[in-house]
Amino acid sequence: MEIRTQIKNWRLGFCRHRTVEEKKLSPKSEREAFGTPIRVIDAEVPGNYELDLSRAGILPEDLYFGDNVWETQKYEDLHLWYFAKFIYRKDENETYLLFDGIDTAAEIFVDGELLGTAENMLIPHEYPLGDLGDGEHELTVHVIPAAVYSLEHAPDALAVAQTYSRDSLVIRKAPYLYGWDIMPRTVSGGLWREVLVVKKPRERIVDVSFCVSDLTPENASVKVTVDTRLLFDGEYRLKASLTNRDGRIEASTKLFSASVSLRMNVPCPRLWQPKNYGDPELYGLEVSLERNGEEIDRLSKRVGIRTVVLDRTSRSGDGARFRFFVNGKPVYAMGTNWVPTDAFPSRHEALTERGLVLAEDLGCNMIRCWGGNVYNPDSFYDFCDAHGIMVWQDFSMACGIYPQDGRFCSLMREEAESVVKRLRDHPSIVLWSGDNECDQSWRSKKQKVNGENVFTLTADDNVITRKVLPEVIKRLDPSRPYLPSSPYLDGESIIKNDPSEDHLWGPRKWFKGEYYKDSKCCFASETGYHGCPSPESLKKFIGKDHLENMGDAAVCSDPHWLAHSASPESDPKAPFAYRVPLMIRQVERLFGSAKKDLELFALQSQISQAEALKFFIEHFRAAKPYRSGLLWWNVIDGWPQVSDAVVDWYGTKKLAYSYIKRSQTPFAVIIDEPDENSRLALVADNETPKTVSVKVKVTEVLSGKEVFCGGVEAEPRETVRFGSIEDVKGYYLIRWEGDENGVNHFAARLGEDTDYAEYRRFLSLTGFDGALEGFEK
């Protein structure tokens, strides 16, 4: 069995290299840094150097206040040296240094000798220590600044990237770190996950994978594939067992090679089911390796028995499909997108559970892991396994055309192999996706000929997502679907740009406008709407003098607001400076004007967001089965900012949180948009596994008038239209009682000049204003 010991007590050296002579300076121990321009301070590992500089007083103490985060840009060219010591004791095991996360290009020295190099932030790196002498040893990690390292691999003429992210194309570093409209630019560097001394048995289990070969209600045929390392100096036997509340199933075999597959039959299997479709049953898988009858290694993990298929067409429209089938049954996805939990990746894992708890509380049964992020820690997938939350996993590429050369393809192949091997046994993962919106970037490779678009290259020319990644998945995880990009453009959709799965951002104007209402995609894997953080939260990251005259244009050029729009510069016309002006325009579109008072403006904005997200979710639910899922953006901010998140960085929920929770209940009664006869349709959507019968009462809130009372019954997975309302200008409260009890609403009075006082009264009469957090009551 492995023995892991974390290396602690780190020091950090840093300096800039400005001259040729200084570039030769690279200390291989902390002693060598003395008497040089290198400054040495205490460091935390896992960590990021900006956080160490902040603790040392070199950067501001609160990097998230005002425009302090812009200060980090002054240090992007720092060379970093991490110094630590560890104890080595020679024994019968093999000893390795394991770096769970190095950001990004680095040289590793032990006692002044080069042990190895790294150039991928996103996967672990392991180095054999060989025959070191017993005792204390010095470890030095030289992290080369990403800005410097990327100069060695300049993007070519094919490259396409966002304004601030061109360097990110050539280096395997999380794209968001270069600045995104949801995260600040903190290019960063360091040892962002644990550094460990790992002792492994010389003969051991190297890897275990689990897959379902055949599944019926009566039996599951499963395969356990095990790779080992053996010295072949005895008789070896491998044993495997699956355990759950029904008992234990075992299999064993004599080993004649280092790799073997064991097949097991599980009678009447208990299946891993997504949320709303049954229980997410898990089995304990245990594998042991024996030599001459004595156990020499053991590995255990949790697995689930399930199958998954993605049925899709290229384009949207008549006959289009984009639907997941889990265990042979169609699944409707209600969920969200997962973004970085913090600007600094060393803090991601500590903040992971809070976001997952919120997503689960909101009724999400799918989370899309966005391709601008790092790959999440094991705890993320363990939670999703246990709670029946399906995971759509992007590979870490976003909004660009990445290098197609041999070096980059090799880096991506190594990365994919590492990621797939680590995650493939999680039943929650239902899809590998090649990237985020890179197919859309390839649409820039076109020319106008006689007024028509002629594509000189298309996304099908992308070697990474059309060849490298699918080949890895075919070898290592052939039973799980793969989508080359999100959205994926193939066939006619390359030309028409009308894929069956799409990201619905569009003009971001009126949320019930034609773009959103008339979209033909079957599955929306991104959509969202701005919601201002609460006044209480705003005061924590925006200076007091910067919080006046909210609806005024001057706010749009204020440095505190620009920084927390995630703009990395003070120019109000910069690409990411759009968030505050957009938020103001969305409020003006709904209420006619934006209030200058902070409390009123923030509530207006939160109403706008809440109604928008409610509309998106319910508009898709009402259009089943053509619509098969919607993943809104997003649960919680990764830092304090103006955003589409429904919970801010401080954990304060926006009004949209409570609206989404009602809209995503497994059984919901909703009111659809007016039909051609200007009537509102009542729709019951049953996402439970049972028949549901309820009595429904609809009341116009402001007048107190009951406008509908009747019953409805919906079979499992059935969507039923069962009534209508003639008056289409009210604020309606919907209540149902019976097999399921619940409440919802529909605001038919929303328009270009919504009466704010009326809406505020509606919130008060329904008690929905009790969900407001961070406002003065």
Side-chain angles (χ1 to χ4, degrees), residues 509-526:
K509 295 179 182 177
W510 175 228
F511 54 79
K512 292 189 180 184
E514 290 183 1
Y515 176 84
Y516 303 100
K517 185 163 57 75
D518 298 338
S519 165
K520 301 299 182 185
C521 68
C522 304
F523 194 108
S525 49
E526 283 188 19

Side-chain angles (χ1 to χ4, degrees), residues 148-199:
V148 173
Y149 191 75
S150 61
L151 294 175
E152 301 178 17
H153 309 284
D156 54 31
L158 182 65
V160 172
Q162 295 196 119
T163 304
Y164 309 108
S165 304
R166 192 169 177 84
D167 282 357
S168 73
L169 297 178
V170 298
I171 186 169
R172 293 310 297 146
K173 187 177 177 75
Y176 86 85
L177 289 166
Y178 287 83
W180 218 267
D181 62 355
I182 61 166
M183 299 299 291
R185 181 180 176 94
T186 52
V187 175
S188 200
L191 305 178
W192 69 282
R193 283 180 169 160
E194 288 184 332
V195 182
L196 304 153
V197 176
V198 182
K199 288 186 172 291

Side-chain angles (χ1 to χ4, degrees), residues 1-4 93 199-208 226-230 237-243 248-251 284-291 293-301:
M1 271 55 84
E2 282 190 4
I3 301 171
R4 295 185 167 210
N93 295 304
K199 288 186 172 291
K200 302 181 182 184
R202 291 185 182 276
E203 295 185 295
R204 60 183 179 271
I205 298 166
V206 175
D207 185 52
V208 174
V226 184
D227 296 328
T228 67
R229 179 170 178 177
L230 306 176
R237 179 163 288 273
L238 194 76
K239 294 181 178 180
S241 65
L242 280 173
T243 306
R248 183 181 180 93
I249 298 169
E250 298 179 331
L285 171 62
E286 195 166 80
V287 177
S288 63
L289 175 64
E290 295 180 354
R291 182 185 61 220
E294 179 180 347
E295 183 178 278
I296 56 175
D297 200 11
R298 176 182 294 267
L299 186 147
S300 60
K301 60 174 67 177

Side-chain angles (χ1 to χ4, degrees), residues 254-412:
K254 183 178 179 180
L255 289 180
F256 294 94
S257 67
S259 180
V260 67
S261 291
L262 287 170
R263 296 187 180 274
M264 307 167 73
N265 289 309
V266 183
C268 301
R270 294 187 182 272
L271 304 182
W272 186 91
Q273 304 271 22
K275 188 180 179 71
N276 302 337
Y277 289 77
D279 294 327
E281 298 279 354
L282 295 172
Y283 286 74
L285 171 62
E286 195 166 80
V287 177
S288 63
L289 175 64
E290 295 180 354
R291 182 185 61 220
N292 300 330
E294 179 180 347
E295 183 178 278
I296 56 175
D297 200 11
R298 176 182 294 267
L299 186 147
S300 60
K301 60 174 67 177
R302 302 283 281 172
V303 296
I305 295 175
R306 67 104 184 89
T307 61
V308 59
V309 172
L310 174 61
D311 178 33
R312 65 171 291 275
T313 57
S314 172
R315 298 178 62 191
S316 58
D318 293 341
R321 303 179 306 282
F322 191 98
R323 185 177 297 276
F324 291 94
F325 286 76
V326 178
N327 302 322
K329 298 178 180 179
V331 172
Y332 185 84
M334 290 190 290
T336 188
N337 282 262
W338 189 266
V339 303
T341 60
D342 193 87
F344 300 102
S346 62
R347 303 200 293 209
H348 282 199
E349 185 160 9
L351 296 169
T352 292
E353 186 176 1
R354 74 169 184 168
L356 288 170
V357 169
L358 292 168
E360 203 274 335
D361 181 58
L362 284 166
C364 296
N365 68 359
M366 179 177 278
I367 293 175
R368 173 176 174 256
C369 295
W370 171 67
N373 199 1
V374 299
Y375 301 103
N376 286 315
D378 292 338
S379 58
F380 174 93
Y381 305 96
D382 291 341
F383 185 101
C384 293
D385 289 346
H387 291 82
I389 299 174
M390 297 176 286
V391 175
W392 167 319
Q393 180 66 58
D394 283 0
F395 285 93
S396 187
M397 293 181 287
C399 300
I401 296 181
Y402 285 76
Q404 305 289 298
D405 59 27
R407 168 191 169 267
F408 196 84
C409 287
S410 178
L411 283 170
M412 284 306 306

Side-chain angles (χ1 to χ4, degrees), residues 375-654:
Y375 301 103
N376 286 315
D378 292 338
S379 58
F380 174 93
Y381 305 96
D382 291 341
F383 185 101
C384 293
D385 289 346
H387 291 82
I389 299 174
M390 297 176 286
V391 175
W392 167 319
Q393 180 66 58
D394 283 0
F395 285 93
S396 187
M397 293 181 287
C399 300
I401 296 181
Y402 285 76
Q404 305 289 298
D405 59 27
R407 168 191 169 267
F408 196 84
C409 287
S410 178
L411 283 170
M412 284 306 306
R413 184 177 294 107
E414 179 187 26
E415 179 180 316
E417 288 172 349
S418 176
V419 171
V420 171
K421 284 182 178 181
R422 178 169 73 92
L423 300 179
R424 62 186 170 186
D425 287 337
H426 287 281
S428 56
I429 299 178
V430 296
L431 180 71
W432 297 111
S433 174
D435 59 49
N436 171 77
E437 296 182 2
C438 290
D439 274 17
Q440 298 282 11
S441 296
W442 282 81
R443 296 194 84 248
S444 66
K445 302 301 178 182
K446 62 188 176 185
Q447 298 175 348
K448 283 282 187 181
V449 178
N450 297 325
E452 297 290 330
N453 285 329
V454 176
F455 288 87
T456 54
L457 291 169
T458 73
D460 282 341
D461 294 300
N462 186 349
V463 176
I464 302 164
T465 59
R466 270 48 173 193
K467 184 177 180 181
V468 174
L469 295 181
E471 285 180 353
V472 169
I473 291 164
K474 182 178 180 181
R475 285 191 291 111
L476 300 179
D477 193 23
S479 65
R480 190 173 271 115
Y482 170 72
L483 190 72
S485 185
S486 176
Y488 172 33
L489 302 180
D490 67 334
E492 281 290 305
S493 68
I494 291 176
I495 309 299
K496 302 294 185 180
N497 196 23
D498 58 352
S500 56
E501 168 262 334
D502 208 351
H503 296 180
L504 298 183
W505 292 107
R508 304 199 201 185
K509 295 179 182 177
W510 175 228
F511 54 79
K512 292 189 180 184
E514 290 183 1
Y515 176 84
Y516 303 100
K517 185 163 57 75
D518 298 338
S519 165
K520 301 299 182 185
C521 68
C522 304
F523 194 108
S525 49
E526 283 188 19
T527 192
Y529 216 72
H530 274 38
C532 186
S534 72
E536 181 182 274
S537 293
L538 285 169
K539 292 170 185 176
K540 295 176 182 178
F541 64 91
I542 300 287
K544 181 179 179 180
D545 295 341
H546 302 258
L547 287 172
E548 299 175 355
N549 299 321
M550 275 305 306
D552 196 287
V555 174
C556 303
S557 58
D558 183 281
H560 284 205
W561 285 98
L562 285 168
H564 291 277
S565 297
S567 178
E569 54 182 318
S570 60
D571 181 357
K573 296 181 179 180
F576 293 165
Y578 72 88
R579 281 198 175 273
V580 174
L582 176 59
M583 178 174 64
I584 292 172
R585 288 198 304 273
Q586 289 174 342
V587 168
E588 290 172 340
R589 176 59 181 80
L590 182 59
F591 292 108
S593 63
K595 303 292 186 182
K596 296 185 184 297
D597 177 81
L598 180 62
E599 290 271 329
L600 294 177
F601 177 86
L603 182 51
Q604 284 183 321
S605 178
Q606 290 198 14
I607 291 168
S608 173
Q609 180 193 41
E611 287 290 351
L613 290 172
K614 171 183 166 60
F615 168 73
F616 297 154
I617 294 166
E618 294 182 357
H619 186 59
F620 266 58
R621 289 189 75 169
K624 293 167 52 184
Y626 178 81
R627 308 282 196 182
S628 53
L630 182 138
L631 309 179
W632 42 270
W633 191 287
N634 62 304
V635 177
I636 187 167
D637 283 320
W639 84 303
Q641 78 160 82
V642 175
S643 75
D644 307 282
V646 300
V647 182
D648 70 35
W649 161 252
Y650 302 100
T652 303
K653 298 178 178 111
K654 301 176 188 177

Side-chain angles (χ1 to χ4, degrees), residues 83-99:
F83 305 112
K85 295 179 180 180
F86 65 94
I87 302 296
Y88 177 88
R89 299 285 182 224
K90 189 172 184 178
D91 54 24
E92 69 278 3
N93 295 304
E94 294 178 349
T95 308
Y96 295 81
L97 266 181
L98 173 62
F99 295 83

